[in-house]
Amino acid sequence: YIFFKREVSTSEICLYLPNCYQKKNKIFPLKSKTVSFAFERTHQQMKRKLNCKPILTITGSDSVGGSGIQADIKTISALGGYAASAITAVTVQDTLGIQEVYDLPVEIIRKQIEAVMEDLSPKVIKIGMLRNKETIWSIAKLLDLYRPDHVILDPGIVSSHGDILTERPLLT
């Protein structure tokens, strides 16, 4: 994992997420009771009920669930964090590959991030698939504004099937 301006160890991640342990530089979820989520109307009630730290993930949506927002939410939740999300793109895909990608407008991405940052104030942000420079610049400005403690940059540049996920000019 690469954090903003420094690398972080798996033991640091386990300090932040209570339901995981480290073994040979890998992170594993603790086998624990299932967390039941009650529908709460207010943010404060939800925070007290969950009693865990929010992490914002900013990436694309993978309708098959193997990567992107869906995988991040599962991972963060399994490790004891509270996953908040901002979607950058929606894919049309199946297990064989990506057929189409729709980039959300930068204004919508910005508003999603601002809403989460103003409400939950996550100290950790994980960034995945960013497909164009306008989105990258917008997120960079928001990172400068909100100054989270940690930013994990895990850019989705190429899919597992070899599909290019980022605009080619950004790769050169």
Side-chain angles (χ1 to χ4, degrees):
Y1 294 93
I2 298 175
F3 277 61
F4 194 62
K5 297 186 178 176
R6 73 177 184 91
E7 289 197 19
V8 65
S9 68
T10 52
S11 58
E12 285 181 280
I13 294 170
C14 284
L15 285 174
Y16 189 81
L17 297 171
N19 292 341
C20 71
Y21 68 95
Q22 174 190 358
K23 184 176 181 182
K24 294 184 181 177
N25 270 348
K26 292 187 179 179
I27 299 172
F28 299 93
L30 289 176
K31 293 180 179 166
S32 65
K33 60 186 178 221
T34 304
V35 178
S36 89
F37 293 94
F39 290 99
E40 303 287 351
R41 289 195 178 261
T42 69
H43 156 256
Q44 291 301 325
Q45 288 172 320
M46 181 178 65
K47 277 180 142 179
R48 282 194 301 272
K49 183 79 172 172
L50 294 173
N51 196 25
C52 57
K53 298 176 181 177
I55 297 174
L56 171 60
T57 177
I58 305 168
T59 192
S61 176
D62 170 0
S63 54
V64 180
S67 62
I69 287 285
Q70 290 82 347
D72 288 351
I73 290 171
K74 288 187 273 189
T75 302
I76 292 166
S77 298
L79 296 174
Y82 177 73
S85 63
I87 298 174
T88 60
V90 177
T91 62
V92 176
Q93 70 182 82
D94 55 26
T95 57
L96 301 176
I98 298 172
Q99 289 80 42
E100 194 172 339
V101 180
Y102 172 74
D103 294 321
L104 269 65
V106 175
E107 184 70 10
I108 297 297
I109 297 167
R110 183 186 59 77
K111 287 180 178 180
Q112 290 178 84
I113 295 167
E114 288 174 343
V116 171
M117 295 304 292
E118 294 293 329
D119 186 32
L120 299 176
S121 303
K123 302 294 183 212
V124 176
I125 296 177
K126 188 262 183 192
I127 301 173
M129 182 174 74
L130 303 178
R131 294 181 29 88
N132 57 62
K133 69 179 180 181
E134 292 80 16
T135 300
I136 292 169
W137 279 111
S138 178
I139 291 171
K141 288 177 188 174
L142 291 169
L143 291 175
D144 190 46
L145 174 67
Y146 290 106
R147 301 250 181 222
D149 291 346
H150 304 287
V151 176
I152 302 168
L153 181 60
D154 180 20
I157 297 172
V158 179
S159 77
S160 60
H161 296 291
D163 300 310
I164 302 292
L165 301 173
T166 302
E167 289 180 350
R168 290 215 184 260
L170 294 175
L171 301 177
T172 56

